[in-house]
Amino acid sequence: MAESRWIEINCDMGEGFGRWKMGPDEDLMHHVDVANVACGFHAGDPSTMVRTVHLAKKHGVRVGAHPGMPDLLGFGRRRMAIAPEDMYAAVLYQVGALAGILAAEGVPLNHVKPHGELYFFVQRDADIRDAVLRAVKAFNVPIYGLPTKHMIEDCERIGLKLIPEFYADLNYDEEGQLMSVAESVPAVPELVEERIRTFASTGKVEGKSGKMVDVPVDPQGFSICIHSDLPGALDNAMAARNAVNKALKEG
């Protein structure tokens, strides 16, 4: 019997630091299913992490760890040279910090999702990918990411479940590969909703060049990422929820 269709919305949250706030987390919680909580390296601090977990618990939103590069100044979006074993330790350290907070609050760790440059580093470097996947495996939770051939094969090798992601607020190139925040055109709610509805029904998305391209994600089951730090994040999340509701209703 075929599995029923599932589509969820995940959002990067808790990405402030100290007195600096990033993203309307309180409002976003009403429109998402999963929160990826920053763990201190690219953003987040102990008190912000605790507050974000409290918020997610209040709204019944599942919580995952969102580890990044040790790059507060660049918000974890700059390339850095890091040895694989140092990256392994850094991911263990960050996820472990959030896991401790979750345990104190009686909330399970749902998953791990690398942030920013680390997300792309995992895709292009086999040794970094292995290091990150081994670190995630220690927590026995899935990893969110792009279901590329090498990612799928390495997750299977390590015994890690991969949750495939679709990005509604970023661009894809002519080969259906995700583009970074810096390379993408800022998204507006109408575009977010249209991208989700088109992908959910056809498996395609309009690339940055205007050409329709195939995206290597199964439209029968995927998680949609919305960035809380981008302009119009709340409106984008509301548009995404509307599109998801329609897609699930249409089947």
Side-chain angles (χ1 to χ4, degrees):
M1 184 177 179
E3 292 186 12
S4 59
R5 189 178 206 186
W6 65 273
I7 307 173
E8 66 174 27
I9 300 172
N10 77 75
C11 188
D12 305 339
M13 293 188 173
E15 292 189 314
F17 191 81
R19 297 182 64 180
W20 285 269
K21 183 180 178 182
M22 179 78 79
D25 288 2
E26 296 87 348
D27 295 323
L28 284 167
M29 287 288 183
H30 295 279
H31 307 287
V32 304
D33 304 295
V34 180
N36 314 306
V37 179
C39 306
F41 273 31
H42 76 279
D45 60 84
S47 295
T48 298
M49 292 164 71
V50 170
R51 285 196 300 270
T52 308
V53 168
H54 284 168
L55 208 61
K57 184 177 180 180
K58 176 182 176 181
H59 292 281
V61 172
R62 288 171 281 144
V63 178
H66 198 38
M69 306 290 276
D71 180 27
L72 280 173
L73 187 62
F75 198 61
R77 288 188 174 142
R78 297 184 296 183
R79 289 196 177 194
M80 303 176 74
I82 299 180
E85 287 310 305
D86 289 337
M87 198 72 256
Y88 170 78
V91 173
L92 281 179
Y93 183 92
Q94 293 177 79
V95 179
L98 182 67
I101 292 170
L102 289 171
E105 298 299 326
V107 177
L109 176 67
N110 184 71
H111 68 281
V112 175
K113 174 184 169 178
H115 166 81
E117 167 56 19
L118 181 56
Y119 194 88
F120 290 99
F121 205 175
V122 164
Q123 291 293 331
R124 69 174 182 268
D125 189 295
D127 292 334
I128 290 294
R129 183 167 58 253
D130 180 74
V132 171
L133 295 184
R134 284 190 291 112
V136 175
K137 177 63 176 176
F139 296 93
N140 291 312
V141 295
I143 187 168
Y144 280 42
L146 300 177
T148 53
K149 181 176 181 291
H150 47 253
M151 187 71 164
I152 292 171
E153 290 175 350
D154 283 353
C155 282
E156 290 177 348
R157 173 177 57 82
I158 289 174
L160 199 59
K161 182 176 181 180
L162 173 63
I163 303 296
E165 283 194 290
F166 174 76
Y167 282 75
D169 57 6
L170 296 181
N171 284 111
Y172 286 83
D173 64 21
E174 286 72 17
E175 296 180 353
Q177 298 302 308
L178 184 67
M179 301 176 72
S180 68
V181 169
E183 297 170 313
S184 297
V185 175
V188 295
E190 295 78 12
L191 180 57
V192 167
E193 184 166 354
E194 178 59 29
R195 282 173 174 168
I196 294 171
R197 295 192 68 183
T198 300
F199 176 73
S201 60
T202 68
K204 297 178 181 291
V205 68
E206 184 176 331
K208 191 175 181 180
S209 67
K211 175 185 175 182
M212 297 302 294
V213 297
D214 291 308
V215 176
V217 176
D218 185 354
Q220 283 300 113
F222 59 98
S223 188
I224 298 165
C225 176
I226 295 294
H227 289 87
S228 68
D229 66 296
L230 296 185
L234 179 57
D235 289 336
N236 286 346
M238 294 171 68
R241 175 55 63 196
N242 187 48
V244 169
N245 290 343
K246 289 180 179 178
L248 290 175
K249 184 177 180 180
E250 294 168 0

